Structures are given as structure tokens and as C-alpha cells.
Amino acid sequence: MRNLAVVGAGVMGRGIAYVGALAGFNVYLQDINEAALDKAKNDIEQEMSKSVQRGYLQQQQVEEALPRIFYTTNLEKASREADLVIEAVLEVMDIKIDVFKKLDQICPPHTVLATNTSTMSPTEIAAQTSRPDKCVAMHFFNPVHKMKLIEIIRGLDTSDETVELAKQVGSRMGKETVEVNEFPGFVTSRMNCLIGNEAMNMLMEGVASAEDIDKAMKLGLNHPMGPLELADLVGLDTRLRNMEYLYQTLGEKYRPCPLLVKYVKAGRLGRKSGRGFYNYENRQDQ
Ligand code: NAD
């Protein structure tokens, strides 16, 4: 395993490229949007330099890792020599299937195709390729360089070898893995979306302020982050797509909170747009 392609250079794709390069892989980061690639390059360089200043990385590791990342809008160039591709495009089934169909045509037969979906069925995506045994979900967490877990989701036809490769790559990236059989939302998103949605419903009902809901969960229930600040970090558009999928597949319990729908309509997408449940416009840590 030498060459890793990452498709989609948003919040997650750039984080996966970051840990992939530090793990010693050649990383080809692809996006259809040139501006997303420029932002990804800038963010990866800034984040690595912050990690050196804070003592988490050595300067030499950064100097070795950065030249291993190649940025491109060309999917063929990014994936034709890949041993593993991790797809991190929008949480929209049709877009993911379109990407997987193209990858299936471009990549050599040995290439494993992984999706970083938070909720959706790797079986459904894999069924559109000629290699369902080599398809799997590798669910990373945000921010990727800090979060220890990768949830590995086995689709109906995923082979043991594919799961093993996903685990080994995770381990080279310094991550722990858990293996989950496919079900909408897996373990983490199913639980987390429900908690977040309940917090949004409480805010909408006027039960408490956003600050006090988050403070209650952190200090009373020992959550490291409040559910509303976490939703802002994830991106409210992404969270809404996650909720819509869980609502379709698991039912009423997962109906997206109307306040979330309203915020997304208004363009309040959380940290990435400068405003969500909190205002980040003048914050240094944005
Ligand atoms: P994002 O909106 O930040 O980035 C998505 C990127 O995909 C954009 O840069 C967009 O230009 C690009 N893109 C869209 N269509 C494409 C295509 N056909 N080919 C190449 N690039 C394309 O989204 P994100 O938050 O990084 O989420 C990506 C995936 O990761 C989703 O499936 C999401 O559910 C999952 N995920 C997100 C989080 C999170 O906290 N944000 C956590 C775990 C998993």
C-alpha cells in the first residue's frame, strides 16, 4: 500500500490527506472545485505548522509529508495508480455512486474503494461497481488529525482482505478502528445525530440557550463538546443530509429539527460559513 487517492477536498478530505501523508503514503487529493483544493492546501500547511509549534509533530515529519501530497482536479490522474481510494464528497448518494462508477473504470483491479459516508449504505454504492468485495466504508471523524477512531463498515460483499487493509491503513495513520456491520448511521452517526437533533429541538422550544445546552452536556454529562458546537463543526448542511437519510431509512425518530432546516436555508452552515448555532465571524479559532 503506497498510493492513496482522496476524492473531495472539503472538511474531511483534507483531514484524510493530512493523516495519509504523515503515515508515509503518496496522497493524491482530488476535487472538482479548484478553490476547494487551494483552501485544502492552505489549511493542511497551516495545521501542520501549528502542530509543530505545539510539539505534536517534528519539523522533519512535516517537510517529508507536505511534498507527498499532490492536488488535482483530474480524477484519472489522482486514482489510476491508487492502491486505496477514499471518497469524501458530499453526503448525496447519486454523487457518491457517480464517483464510484468512474473509479471502478479508472483504477487497477486490486484497488480498494472506500467511502467516508457518515450514514449511507456501502452495499448500495458497491453494487454499482464490478468489485463489491473491494468496497468498504471508512468513517473518519472531524477533525481527522485529532480524532482517534475510524469506524469500518462492512457491506454485504466486502471481503475479509478489504476489511484487513482498511484496518492496517487506519493503524498506520495512528487510529483505532471498530468493525460495524452495515446499518443506517452505523454506531456513531446514529447516536450522535439523535443527540444533536434533540439539542436543536430544545433550543427551538426555548428550553435553554445554545450556550447552556452545550454547557449542561459538557459539565453534567461529561461530553467533551456540546452537541450544538459539534454540529457547527460538522457543518449544518452535512448534518441535515445525515438526518434526512436517517429519517428516510430509520423513521420518525430521526425527523430533522425544523430549526436545522431553517438555518441551512439561510446559509448558516456552522464554522465553515462563519455562522451556525454560534457566530464565528470574529473568532480567532475559526
Ligand atoms: P464538504 O462539503 O466540506 O466537502 C465536500 C467536497 O466534495 C467539496 O469540496 C466539493 O467540491 C467536493 N465534491 C463534490 N462533488 C464532487 C465530485 N463529484 N468529485 C470530487 N469532489 C466533489 O463535506 P465534508 O464535511 O468533508 O463531508 C464529506 C463526506 O464525509 C460526507 O459523506 C460526510 O457525511 C462525511 N463525513 C463528514 C464529517 C464532518 O464532520 N463534516 C464527519 C465524518 C464523515
Side-chain angles (χ1 to χ4, degrees):
M1 167 71 212
R2 284 179 41 216
N3 296 328
L4 169 67
V6 180
V7 181
V11 173
M12 295 307 286
R14 58 182 182 253
I16 297 167
Y18 176 117
V19 294
L22 282 173
F25 302 126
N26 300 319
V27 179
Y28 299 81
L29 181 57
Q30 188 269 351
D31 201 290
I32 47 173
N33 181 351
E34 194 90 52
L37 289 170
D38 290 344
K39 178 162 176 32
K41 186 166 189 294
N42 199 29
D43 281 14
I44 290 172
E45 287 171 4
Q46 274 188 12
E47 209 51 64
M48 282 200 187
S49 121
K50 265 196 242 163
S51 294
V52 172
Q53 281 162 23
R54 291 175 185 160
Y56 295 118
L57 288 179
Q58 309 272 323
Q59 183 60 29
Q60 196 186 342
Q61 285 176 286
V62 172
E63 280 166 17
E64 285 169 10
L66 286 179
R68 284 194 206 113
I69 311 179
F70 305 92
Y71 300 85
T72 179
T73 52
N74 185 323
L75 186 65
E76 184 167 356
K77 215 159 140 188
S79 55
R80 69 185 164 212
E81 289 177 14
D83 301 303
L84 170 67
V85 184
I86 303 176
E87 164 276 309
V89 303
L90 303 178
E91 188 81 342
V92 175
M93 183 54 94
D94 288 348
I95 302 181
K96 291 190 184 294
I97 285 178
D98 182 55
V99 168
F100 266 66
K101 278 183 171 168
K102 288 181 181 148
L103 290 171
D104 191 33
Q105 296 289 318
I106 299 167
C107 295
H110 77 276
T111 309
V112 166
L113 306 180
T115 172
N116 181 47
T117 178
S118 309
T119 52
M120 293 180 167
S121 162
T123 302
E124 187 176 346
I125 302 171
Q128 303 293 325
T129 72
S130 62
R131 58 180 97 194
D133 58 317
K134 292 198 166 59
C135 295
V136 66
M138 289 178 77
H139 182 206
F140 289 77
F141 295 83
N142 181 14
V144 179
H145 66 290
K146 290 192 183 153
M147 301 299 287
K148 285 302 281 178
L149 186 69
I150 305 174
E151 216 176 3
I152 295 177
I153 298 96
R154 202 184 252 280
L156 194 61
D157 293 316
T158 308
S159 69
D160 290 345
E161 292 73 27
T162 298
V163 170
E164 198 45 45
L165 180 111
K167 284 184 180 168
Q168 280 174 15
V169 168
S171 159
R172 273 185 65 182
M173 290 172 168
K175 307 293 183 200
E176 295 284 330
T177 53
V178 289
E179 194 181 323
V180 178
N181 289 316
E182 181 180 319
F183 208 82
F186 323 133
V187 171
T188 53
S189 301
R190 182 169 161 185
M191 194 74 86
N192 187 38
C193 282
L194 208 52
I195 294 172
N197 213 46
E198 202 56 29
M200 293 169 203
N201 280 319
M202 283 182 197
L203 182 66
M204 188 179 69
E205 288 157 5
V207 173
S209 66
E211 287 80 0
D212 279 354
I213 292 171
D214 280 345
K215 188 172 174 184
M217 295 299 282
K218 286 187 283 192
L219 302 187
L221 297 180
N222 216 11
H223 286 216
M225 281 181 85
L228 299 171
E229 54 185 349
L230 179 56
D232 274 356
L233 179 70
V234 167
L236 300 190
D237 50 342
T238 302
R239 175 58 66 84
L240 178 58
R241 288 194 193 97
N242 296 158
M243 288 306 304
E244 281 167 344
Y245 184 77
L246 293 177
Y247 178 47
Q248 275 165 28
T249 52
L250 298 177
E252 187 57 33
K253 197 162 62 165
Y254 293 86
R255 178 191 289 276
C257 172
L259 188 62
L260 174 65
V261 177
K262 199 192 286 182
Y263 276 16
V264 173
K265 281 185 179 150
R268 286 198 198 182
L269 306 182
R271 277 179 182 260
K272 63 182 166 188
S273 73
R275 198 159 178 207
F277 293 103
Y278 296 92
N279 193 340
Y280 301 90
E281 268 148 16
N282 297 317
R283 279 170 57 160
Q284 295 300 314
D285 62 346
Q286 166 37 17

